[in-house]
Amino acid sequence: MAFFWSGNSAIRHGLRQIRSAAGRLASYAAFWLKAFHQPAIDLSLRTHTGLTTRIVESPGLSLPQTDLDELVAQLRTVAGKTLPVGDLTYGIFSGERERLSRAIVTLISEEATGRPIAFNALSVMQVELDGEVEEVTHLGLVMVDPDVQGQGLSWVLYGLTTLVLFARDGLRPKWISNVTQVPSVFGMVCDTFSDVFPSPDAAARRSFAHLQLARGIMREHRAVFGVGSEAGFDENRFVITNAYTGGSDALKKSFEVAPKHREEQYNAWCARELDYVRGDDVLQLGRVDLAGARRYIQRDVPAGSLPALFAATAVLALQRLILPAIHWFDDTRPFGSLRPRAPGNGSGK
């Protein structure tokens, strides 16, 4: 009899686990399907037990003023717990709609209380490359409440949003940029993305595309990462000298307190190439592509989030096969060489 009841209990427990996994799978699938459908992303996803992650694209354009003010206040709350002194005044912290219209905010909050505990603020920059306008996604500012550091949030803050954007764009390679003096972040970018320069990797090369994009970013987009006009730029090393004069002063760190990477090569590169007393940063450029997405999913996404991986993979495959057909039958918007039908005209011209 004891064996019978024990067996029933195990079956009931197994069924509960299956139902729970199915619920998570449905949630993740809905997340990805909405990401493909929405013109501007505003999605919430349960990425950790007790935590909710919200991704908001172009909040300066998509949110009413009260919601925008609340979002900026949440970002400032995290910043206030993160920075020992000083206030940030550039970029998203300004609250200006124009700045926030180019931002993509990833905010992690406690599910029960709504308290914000971490965020990443990406920005999309228009930069000229080979005579054409190229979109570069700047990885932006990452802040985590010191009370919750070490809880495995980095895979969300550093990769999830770029994966969403990459998938929604039909798996086309996308350029990314990063400005930092933190060895752990420098190494994360080298490990996660493809064709990254600069990097300690002996195979890393500065292509003409890297140089064009770097020049365009430094010429037109310094305000995105809080670097003043007086800061210099070493085109050979991609090092920004005297970088902390454009509103980001409170982020300046010494090498001793800057978080280190587990691989010493990244720490050594930063110590050798950056003058921390003066306040140098490194400008990194790379691409998110299929190889980078695969590395991110295999190495960074924790085992507990495997349902997210399965749902994402299924939806990506489905999107890859079906989306071209959807665009073919949609005559209301342009897609590549396909043009929308003229208003009031039944023809395709």
Side-chain angles (χ1 to χ4, degrees), residues 8 19 54 143 156 159 270 273 278 315 331 333:
N8 277 349
R19 285 195 296 268
R54 182 187 182 191
M143 288 190 173
V156 173
C270 290
E273 301 293 342
R278 179 174 57 194
V315 174
D331 63 0
R333 58 180 178 174

Side-chain angles (χ1 to χ4, degrees), residues 2-16:
F3 175 78
F4 174 78
W5 286 112
S6 176
N8 277 349
S9 177
I11 292 172
R12 287 195 297 270
H13 179 69
L15 290 174
R16 283 196 300 269

Side-chain angles (χ1 to χ4, degrees), residues 31 38 40-44 53-64 67-68 71 74-75 92 100-107 120-124 161 164-165 168:
F31 171 86
Q38 291 179 332
I41 298 170
D42 190 351
L43 301 167
S44 294
T53 296
R54 182 187 182 191
I55 300 175
V56 189
E57 182 180 16
S58 304
L61 297 176
S62 60
L63 297 183
D67 293 349
L68 185 66
L71 178 64
Q74 290 175 314
L75 301 179
I92 58 170
L100 288 159
S101 68
R102 299 193 304 267
I104 305 170
V105 176
T106 304
L107 179 68
N120 179 18
L122 284 70
S123 296
V124 177
T161 305
V164 169
L165 297 174
R168 193 187 61 173

Side-chain angles (χ1 to χ4, degrees), residues 9-336:
S9 177
I11 292 172
R12 287 195 297 270
H13 179 69
L15 290 174
R16 283 196 300 269
Q17 285 187 319
I18 292 172
R19 285 195 296 268
S20 176
R24 290 197 303 272
L25 201 62
S27 171
Y28 291 133
F31 171 86
W32 286 95
L33 288 171
K34 286 176 66 179
F36 295 136
H37 176 71
Q38 291 179 332
I41 298 170
D42 190 351
L43 301 167
S44 294
L45 178 67
R46 196 169 188 257
T47 51
H48 301 76
T49 302
L51 300 179
T52 299
T53 296
R54 182 187 182 191
I55 300 175
V56 189
E57 182 180 16
S58 304
L61 297 176
S62 60
L63 297 183
Q65 191 61 49
T66 53
D67 293 349
L68 185 66
D69 292 341
E70 181 181 357
L71 178 64
V72 173
Q74 290 175 314
L75 301 179
R76 288 173 176 164
T77 296
V78 178
K81 292 292 297 290
T82 306
L83 298 175
V85 293
D87 294 322
L88 293 176
T89 58
Y90 76 96
I92 58 170
F93 296 104
S94 68
E96 298 174 5
R97 278 195 174 271
E98 193 275 331
R99 297 283 179 87
L100 288 159
S101 68
R102 299 193 304 267
I104 305 170
V105 176
T106 304
L107 179 68
I108 303 178
S109 304
E110 291 180 343
E111 209 168 31
T113 65
R115 181 174 75 94
I117 60 171
F119 72 83
N120 179 18
L122 284 70
S123 296
V124 177
M125 303 180 292
Q126 305 286 333
V127 187
E128 186 174 311
L129 176 63
D130 296 332
E132 302 287 340
V133 175
E134 183 78 21
E135 277 195 354
V136 178
T137 302
H138 184 68
L139 297 184
L141 183 64
V142 173
M143 288 190 173
V144 181
D145 187 325
D147 295 339
V148 299
Q149 287 181 352
Q151 293 190 14
L153 305 180
S154 60
W155 74 274
V156 173
L157 295 171
Y158 287 109
L160 180 62
T161 305
T162 56
L163 185 63
V164 169
L165 297 174
F166 172 62
R168 193 187 61 173
D169 201 34
L171 307 181
R172 297 177 180 89
K174 297 176 69 69
W175 283 98
I176 62 94
S177 64
N178 180 56
V179 171
T180 190
Q181 63 171 185
V182 177
S184 62
V185 176
F186 173 74
M188 178 278 303
V189 171
C190 292
D191 288 344
T192 302
F193 300 99
S194 300
D195 197 21
V196 175
F197 182 85
S199 166
D201 188 344
R205 293 290 182 268
R206 186 198 68 173
S207 69
F208 187 52
H210 286 102
L211 185 57
Q212 288 182 80
L213 292 174
R215 286 174 173 172
I217 289 170
M218 294 304 299
R219 183 173 59 250
E220 301 172 8
H221 297 287
R222 292 180 179 224
V224 170
F225 39 88
V227 170
S229 58
E230 63 272 29
F233 182 60
D234 184 333
E235 291 188 350
N236 293 319
R237 299 181 299 139
F238 276 29
V239 170
I240 306 170
T241 57
N242 191 27
Y244 292 83
T245 58
S248 60
D249 311 50
L251 292 176
K252 184 178 178 181
K253 298 176 177 65
S254 67
F255 179 75
E256 288 71 27
V257 303
K260 305 302 187 294
H261 197 276
R262 61 183 178 274
E263 294 187 27
E264 183 56 30
Q265 62 172 335
Y266 301 123
N267 305 327
W269 191 97
C270 290
R272 182 179 66 252
E273 301 293 342
L274 303 180
D275 185 333
Y276 283 81
V277 175
R278 179 174 57 194
D280 290 355
D281 273 339
V282 55
L283 168 61
Q284 292 175 284
L285 284 163
R287 291 183 300 167
V288 52
D289 56 13
L290 280 173
R294 184 175 63 250
R295 286 195 302 272
Y296 166 73
I297 290 172
Q298 291 176 342
R299 188 190 63 233
D300 296 334
V301 178
S305 296
L306 283 178
L309 168 62
F310 296 146
T313 302
V315 174
L316 286 176
L318 194 64
Q319 186 257 3
R320 184 75 167 175
L321 293 171
I322 294 177
L323 192 60
I326 294 174
H327 283 295
W328 178 265
F329 288 106
D330 184 357
D331 63 0
T332 63
R333 58 180 178 174
F335 181 72

